[in-house]
Amino acid sequence: MSFDLGVWFEPAPISAGQAGYTYELLCRADTSTVAANDAVPRFYEDVVARFPCGSHAGVWAVDPVRTGSHVILSIDWSRLEEVAEFVFRRAGELGLVCYDPQAGEVELPSRTDWTA
């Protein structure tokens, strides 16, 4: 069992319902509602630099999935607090949305320019 998170860029604030819809599409490899953004690969590289992929690491239930538009993370429960804290903080710093499908909540970045 894992704790999953989705991370992507949005040009405007979105609701938890909208984020849930986007997340479901992304889990089916449908990227029609998101666009590539330079912050996404940077986020991914920062996360895997801090928490390496591979079964020996004990961090990921499944290695993170990344495209140019989004990252899907499946965190092992034993490392949930440490990893999720870093993921939410780093996503916010890079201006990315972070969606928690377990709680149905979206964490929006605190940026002032939502068009960037």
Side-chain angles (χ1 to χ4, degrees), residues 19 88 91-92 96-100 105-109:
F88 278 105
L96 300 172
V97 166
C98 192
Y99 179 70
D100 170 356
E105 296 176 355
V106 63
E107 181 81 17
L108 300 174

Side-chain angles (χ1 to χ4, degrees), residues 55-97:
S55 60
H56 67 282
V59 174
W60 308 112
V62 175
D63 283 347
V65 174
R66 179 199 127 197
T67 71
S69 64
H70 71 282
V71 178
I72 302 292
L73 305 162
S74 294
I75 305 165
D76 187 277
W77 279 98
S78 67
R79 302 288 298 275
L80 174 60
E81 189 172 321
E82 172 190 12
V83 178
E85 180 181 325
F86 179 82
V87 166
F88 278 105
R89 181 174 46 79
R90 192 65 186 130
E93 290 169 352
L94 291 171
L96 300 172
V97 166

